[in-house]
Amino acid sequence: SPRLAKEYCICRLATGDMLRAAIASSSPVGLKARRAMETGQLVSDDTVIDILKENLKQPKCRRGFVLDGFPRTVNQAKKLDDHLAQMGTKLDGAVELKVGRDTILERISGRLIHPSSGRAYHPKFKPPLKPGIDDVTGEHLIKRNDDNPDVFRNRYTTYMSMTAPVANHYARQGKLKSINGDQHVETVFSEICSYINSSNSK
């Protein structure tokens, strides 16, 4: 998603980043999210939507936006549709990357992240030019604590039960593009761009 945001000069809205920023700002909606997380509860759909609404007001999102990690449930997708309709707009499309379970586990287990930009690397699939260092800034990369096999198994179960149906939601709207995510990263990126370009031309 960071690369798509750069390619199309649009803003990138990633659920995790938005939640962390809202909590750090101590905004009313951020305090709601903090209370939920501190008590071990899931952040409610309404709270996530409220955080998204705040971010969509930013000037950098006027040209458009790419959502990363959202919506994660059909209820979130419906609430998003309703909010965008109130704004007089709608999603142009949705992309589903089809990747095998074992491949996902391998990618996640080795994933390295540049925290401030969201750029992701992997020793095998997309190694940085210098081990452990971001190619652009020269800053250190990190490994997320939840990028491990045990957490992945729980995430995958949740994904299949709650997030996979989101694809059907957008398929019924004629907005879903499924892409083979097992291909080379440049091939995947090219196919996503082709889909975005075709959606924008309609």
Side-chain angles (χ1 to χ4, degrees), residues 17-171:
D17 294 345
M18 289 190 295
L19 280 170
R20 285 187 287 273
I23 290 169
S25 72
S26 295
S27 66
V29 71
L31 291 174
K32 268 190 193 177
R34 184 197 296 274
R35 283 194 293 271
M37 294 172 76
E38 285 179 346
T39 56
Q41 300 174 6
L42 289 175
V43 179
S44 72
D45 289 348
D46 286 336
T47 299
V48 176
I49 286 287
D50 285 343
I51 291 173
L52 177 64
K53 287 178 181 177
E54 286 188 356
N55 280 269
L56 285 173
K57 293 175 185 175
Q58 298 178 65
K60 66 180 182 179
C61 291
R62 287 175 186 161
R63 284 180 53 87
F65 55 89
V66 55
L67 296 173
D68 184 343
F70 186 87
R72 296 193 180 199
T73 67
V74 172
N75 186 49
Q76 288 180 354
K78 289 178 178 177
K79 285 178 180 290
L80 175 63
D81 289 345
D82 291 343
H83 177 63
L84 292 178
Q86 291 170 14
M87 293 174 61
T89 188
K90 58 183 172 44
L91 287 184
D92 293 317
V95 174
E96 176 188 33
L97 298 179
K98 306 284 277 186
V99 183
R101 185 179 185 277
D102 291 341
T103 302
I104 297 173
L105 176 57
E106 183 180 11
R107 289 180 180 178
I108 284 178
S109 297
R111 181 166 60 178
L112 296 169
I113 303 289
H114 179 244
S116 61
S117 71
R119 280 186 291 276
Y121 299 87
H122 191 285
K124 177 180 176 181
F125 300 109
K126 189 188 175 188
L129 297 174
K130 190 174 179 182
I133 301 296
D134 177 51
D135 291 350
V136 178
T137 64
E139 296 171 345
H140 286 281
L141 302 173
I142 65 165
K143 183 171 175 58
R144 284 172 29 175
N145 292 331
D146 56 351
D147 279 350
N148 66 71
D150 290 335
V151 173
F152 167 75
R153 280 188 279 272
N154 292 332
R155 272 195 199 152
Y156 192 79
T157 299
T158 300
Y159 172 83
M160 293 306 294
S161 64
M162 298 182 68
T163 306
V166 173
N168 293 329
H169 174 79
Y170 290 117

